Amino acid sequence: MYGSVGTVVLRTLGNLSASTTSAAGAPGVVLGPGKPLAVLIYLSAAPSRTASRAALCDLLWADVPERQARQTLRQTLWLIREKLGDDVLVTAGSDISLGDRVEAVRDRFLAAASAGAWADAAAAYTGPFAAAALRSSGALGFEQWATGEAEFLRRRFLDVATRLLPDLIKTGGGDAAWRLAARLRDADPDRQENWRTVLDLGSVVLSPAELLAEVSRFEQHLGEAEVPPEPATVSMIAKVRAGQPGERRDPFGASLVGRSEVLHAVLTARREAEGGAARWLHLVGVPGVGKSRVLAEAATQLGAAGWLVANAKGGLGARDLPHGLLVDVIAGLTSLPGAKGASGASLATLSALAHQVAHPGDLRSPETLGLVGALRDLLEAVATERPLALIVDDLHWADSVSLDVLRLLGGRLPNRVLLLTAARPLSGGAPGPEARVIQLAPLSAEETGRLVGDLGTLPDEPWCGRFLVTLQQETGGNPLLVLETLRLADAERLLVREGHRWTVSDPAALERRLVEGGVIESRFAAQTPLERTVLTALAVVGSALSIEALAAAAESTTDQVRQALYRLEQAGHVVPRGREWAVSHDLITETLVDGVSAEVRRGFHQRVGGHLAAVAGSNLWLIRAAGLHLLRADSLDDLRPVWRQWVAEARRAGDRSSEAHLLSDFLGERLPAPWRRVLLRRPGRKLVWASVGVVAAVLVGAIGVATTRPHRLRIVSEPITEYPLVPFPIVELVD
């Protein structure tokens, strides 16, 4: 028994669990989703935290005879006491009560709300009442009760947030106010006033691109709900759009010169998919040739045609994260209408990916085939009412298992689905045989001239012909290098665009500058130290980061980083991806990374890893990402608490496997053997290990792809506002 164990914490907001803690606060036994937990949840909300045996049987075992239901209830009560302690439940005749040792997070929320402590109440409400997602035969009464409880708590949160928001606005908490407004909007999306508040506050704290993305979400919601915009909504949207510059923020944004063939192929595939077929197009081209630009244009055209579009992108820094690209794919798909139509088993399989370890090399393993089947089920559910395009960029940065799964999926696409992928040639990101491969060639001299002409009219002077020939030769017809050269020439006032015309005062100086080369490196010269630090941090980390994570990496404030990102976006160096930011192109990343010292790289990884660990909460995906950054930072001292965080959350999620297995799930074979031995030592034992120099030598080259047993976790990822992964699916109750 567990009579000496401390408090039992019952979590029902955002996720489900009942966990014990010792007097020192260390995590202990965890009770995950199941009917034993359902009993505790119901008792915690019942009057006086008490219910009769008959009521519990009716709630959870209405589909079996009364005698059998009572016997099952007795077994369930015994299991609760066996796991959490005898005094967790108190019996008095036919009544069952919850003991004083059980502390419910729901009660913290309601108590703070009743006391008018709005900030504490908002912090305690970490998500919807998760028990409303539980489904099990015979538990219809519990399901109906949980649905009503979820609605009661949601309305209470709406009241709390509505009262707290004006105070945050008055005190100047711009970021905090916007985040609360977004939570208020998400809890009551049908109230247009909530959306308008998000846009109003967003005009202060968001970049123009992020603000326009929120407008698009608002308009999409109105369309899907088939609700006309209120007059105030029309005015707000018009105000936001009127506040944007008439031309794109980057005046040298890439055009689609020379890409008519691939766009025609997308149009053809679109029409075939609308007719009931499934198609896979794969773009191949060298860095800078315009693969991402073509995919972005395809997404725009497909969306305008009424298609659903899900986007995912491989990243240089995410190759070592197990299932990294698949998690991005699933996040995009599950955010679309129709995703809930997939089977519960498929959603649970896909949601568990953030906790699992990859197994490369076995295309026919049950795990790989199971993932392919679950993804196909999800695609089919989303594409039921409207055609679906799944767009995956930079496939060459995919981890090996994600690539294997996508190759198999490409040969088993459901009808009305178009898969668009892109990768570098000879990169390992090759598609399956079902894909139609389209090569993107460099621009010819004529096409280079058309690209320059799209941005501004050249004068009819002799130097123009020589300029275009030299530009095409020096850049190799690479669209990115052409545009970067034009940006540089404009910045150095050698080639100036006035209105929609190009002017040159010294053609000979312009030609000499083209021949000098070093275009991308020269473009960094005008950056401030903070802009260079932010851009370098993004390049070193190799994946998109939030403003908060970048502020930690750059050791600056969020306001300063936001302004730096705005200027970098104007210069064409970064692009927003939702609430995160990324380097606009791999060529910029590779140019920057080549000049960064090992010490600076370790510093960026250490600070980003520390930030992710601090915001991860119970999200195992973020904890693992934090650990990977700290491993790259060569910081064992910082990795230790994150490893203990991983163990605690895995235990809380119901994983009872050995710590050796958990360590393999955490970072797999990336860990050098001396570090592994140190992390597996029990706390309190003397740490005896080789010198830091020896450990660092062992670490070199040790980062690889993990090959361990499948993880046994069955708990899904928790939704996190700043780092959206996979939404909380329906979870089957198990006796």
Side-chain angles (χ1 to χ4, degrees), residues 189-268:
D190 293 331
R191 184 177 173 83
Q192 294 186 32
E193 181 181 353
N194 293 341
W195 288 88
R196 294 195 295 270
T197 302
V198 168
L199 295 179
D200 194 24
L201 294 174
S203 64
V204 178
V205 303
L206 300 181
S207 72
E210 292 173 316
L211 193 60
L212 285 176
E214 292 293 344
V215 168
S216 297
R217 285 186 60 195
F218 191 7
E219 292 173 330
Q220 181 180 356
H221 173 78
L222 293 173
E224 292 171 353
E226 298 182 350
V227 173
E230 298 169 357
T233 296
V234 175
S235 175
M236 173 64 76
I237 291 177
K239 176 182 175 182
V240 171
R241 293 198 179 280
Q244 307 308 313
E247 61 181 2
R248 69 182 92 202
R249 297 181 62 196
D250 176 8
F252 295 97
S255 71
L256 291 166
V257 169
R259 301 296 174 238
S260 58
E261 178 185 353
V262 65
L263 291 176
H264 178 74
V266 171
L267 176 62
T268 301

Side-chain angles (χ1 to χ4, degrees), residues 450-696:
R450 286 170 51 201
L451 175 57
V452 175
D454 280 353
L455 298 173
T457 303
L458 285 168
D460 186 13
E461 297 179 8
W463 67 265
C464 293
R466 296 193 305 272
F467 163 70
L468 292 176
V469 170
T470 304
L471 179 63
Q472 197 276 338
Q473 291 175 345
E474 295 299 324
T475 62
N478 185 298
L480 176 69
L481 295 180
V482 171
L483 293 169
E484 288 295 308
T485 301
L486 294 175
R487 289 187 177 103
L488 178 64
D490 181 74
E492 296 181 353
R493 310 303 290 173
L494 295 172
L495 179 68
V496 180
R497 195 173 67 162
E498 297 177 348
H500 197 68
R501 294 185 60 83
W502 293 109
T503 61
V504 174
S505 59
D506 189 345
L510 174 61
E511 187 167 359
R512 287 195 301 271
R513 186 64 186 89
L514 295 184
V515 176
E516 286 178 9
V519 172
I520 292 181
E521 294 87 342
S522 299
R523 288 264 290 125
F524 300 145
Q527 293 173 351
T528 66
L530 178 58
E531 291 168 12
R532 182 62 178 255
T533 300
V534 168
L535 189 59
T536 304
L538 283 172
V540 168
V541 171
S543 58
L545 292 176
S546 68
I547 291 178
E548 293 76 15
L550 277 171
E555 298 180 292
S556 184
T557 67
T558 55
D559 287 340
Q560 290 172 332
V561 168
R562 183 178 291 109
Q563 291 301 316
L565 287 169
Y566 180 80
R567 291 189 293 270
L568 289 170
E569 185 186 10
Q570 286 182 311
H573 291 154
V574 300
V575 290
R577 293 181 187 164
R579 293 284 292 160
E580 297 181 334
W581 291 82
V583 180
S584 60
H585 203 279
D586 287 348
L587 278 181
I588 296 175
T589 296
E590 292 162 5
T591 302
L592 281 168
V593 169
D594 287 343
V596 178
S597 69
E599 181 181 0
V600 172
R601 294 188 195 194
R602 287 195 296 269
F604 283 135
H605 283 298
Q606 184 178 28
R607 292 188 288 274
V608 170
H611 171 79
L612 293 181
V615 302
S618 59
N619 190 297
L620 290 171
W621 174 257
L622 288 182
I623 297 173
R624 178 191 276 138
L628 182 60
H629 283 297
L630 294 174
L631 177 63
R632 291 171 175 165
D634 193 15
S635 180
L636 179 59
D637 288 341
D638 290 320
L639 184 61
R640 274 200 204 97
V642 178
W643 154 239
R644 302 314 308 177
Q645 184 181 0
W646 171 272
V647 173
E649 295 303 332
R651 296 290 188 233
R652 184 171 291 119
D655 193 316
R656 314 312 301 169
S657 54
S658 69
E659 288 201 1
H661 282 156
L662 289 178
L663 187 58
S664 293
D665 286 349
F666 183 42
L667 292 174
E669 294 181 355
R670 304 172 182 85
L671 277 172
W675 286 37
R676 184 179 296 273
R677 289 193 292 271
V678 170
L679 294 178
L680 287 177
R681 282 197 179 93
R682 295 288 183 183
R685 292 187 180 181
K686 186 177 180 181
L687 298 178
V688 181
W689 52 297
S691 66
V692 174
V694 174
V695 173

Side-chain angles (χ1 to χ4, degrees), residues 258-554:
R259 301 296 174 238
S260 58
E261 178 185 353
V262 65
L263 291 176
H264 178 74
V266 171
L267 176 62
T268 301
R270 184 192 109 195
R271 290 174 175 170
E272 292 172 346
E274 288 171 341
R279 292 291 181 266
W280 181 5
L281 297 182
H282 180 72
L283 310 184
V284 177
V286 299
V289 80
K291 301 183 296 297
S292 299
R293 181 68 184 89
V294 170
L295 291 181
E297 180 64 23
T300 300
Q301 293 184 4
L302 290 165
W307 280 52
L308 295 172
V309 179
N311 290 281
K313 184 178 179 68
L316 175 63
R319 287 178 301 173
D320 292 328
L321 284 173
H323 302 114
L325 183 57
L326 281 183
V327 169
D328 201 18
V329 168
I330 295 164
L333 289 172
T334 52
S335 67
L336 296 176
K340 294 180 180 179
S343 70
S346 293
L347 289 175
T349 296
L350 298 175
S351 296
L353 281 187
H355 305 162
Q356 294 176 345
V357 171
H359 297 267
D362 187 0
L363 291 177
R364 300 297 169 180
S365 69
E367 292 82 8
T368 301
L369 294 177
L371 285 177
V372 174
L375 265 176
R376 189 186 189 282
D377 182 31
L378 178 58
L379 289 171
E380 191 169 26
V382 173
T384 298
E385 296 184 4
R386 293 161 62 186
L388 167 67
L390 173 58
I391 300 177
V392 185
D393 197 6
D394 287 346
L395 206 58
H396 47 274
W397 296 132
D399 59 282
S400 59
V401 176
S402 294
L403 185 58
D404 289 343
V405 170
L406 288 173
R407 283 170 175 161
L408 290 174
L409 179 67
R412 308 178 186 188
L413 294 172
N415 294 337
R416 289 161 46 93
V417 171
L418 171 60
L419 177 61
L420 286 173
T421 57
R424 297 180 183 180
L426 305 176
S427 62
E434 298 80 9
R436 177 186 172 185
V437 179
I438 301 176
Q439 300 282 342
L440 268 66
L443 301 179
S444 65
E446 178 187 356
E447 290 168 340
T448 301
R450 286 170 51 201
L451 175 57
V452 175
D454 280 353
L455 298 173
T457 303
L458 285 168
D460 186 13
E461 297 179 8
W463 67 265
C464 293
R466 296 193 305 272
F467 163 70
L468 292 176
V469 170
T470 304
L471 179 63
Q472 197 276 338
Q473 291 175 345
E474 295 299 324
T475 62
N478 185 298
L480 176 69
L481 295 180
V482 171
L483 293 169
E484 288 295 308
T485 301
L486 294 175
R487 289 187 177 103
L488 178 64
D490 181 74
E492 296 181 353
R493 310 303 290 173
L494 295 172
L495 179 68
V496 180
R497 195 173 67 162
E498 297 177 348
H500 197 68
R501 294 185 60 83
W502 293 109
T503 61
V504 174
S505 59
D506 189 345
L510 174 61
E511 187 167 359
R512 287 195 301 271
R513 186 64 186 89
L514 295 184
V515 176
E516 286 178 9
V519 172
I520 292 181
E521 294 87 342
S522 299
R523 288 264 290 125
F524 300 145
Q527 293 173 351
T528 66
L530 178 58
E531 291 168 12
R532 182 62 178 255
T533 300
V534 168
L535 189 59
T536 304
L538 283 172
V540 168
V541 171
S543 58
L545 292 176
S546 68
I547 291 178
E548 293 76 15
L550 277 171

Side-chain angles (χ1 to χ4, degrees), residues 103-190:
E103 179 180 314
V105 175
R106 165 193 179 275
D107 293 342
R108 295 180 197 167
F109 164 65
L110 292 177
S114 298
W118 312 125
D120 292 339
Y125 189 86
T126 54
F129 187 60
L134 293 171
R135 301 288 185 269
S136 181
S137 61
L140 180 59
F142 179 83
E143 294 174 19
Q144 293 173 339
W145 169 81
T147 300
E149 179 73 3
E151 179 61 15
F152 162 70
L153 294 172
R154 184 187 73 89
R155 290 184 177 278
R156 197 73 181 97
F157 169 71
L158 292 177
D159 178 63
V160 166
T162 302
R163 294 172 182 270
L164 175 60
L165 189 57
D167 292 338
L168 290 178
I169 296 173
K170 289 178 183 177
T171 56
D175 283 337
W178 186 87
R179 287 194 295 269
L180 182 63
R183 293 177 62 195
L184 183 63
R185 182 266 318 275
D186 294 342
D188 189 9
D190 293 331

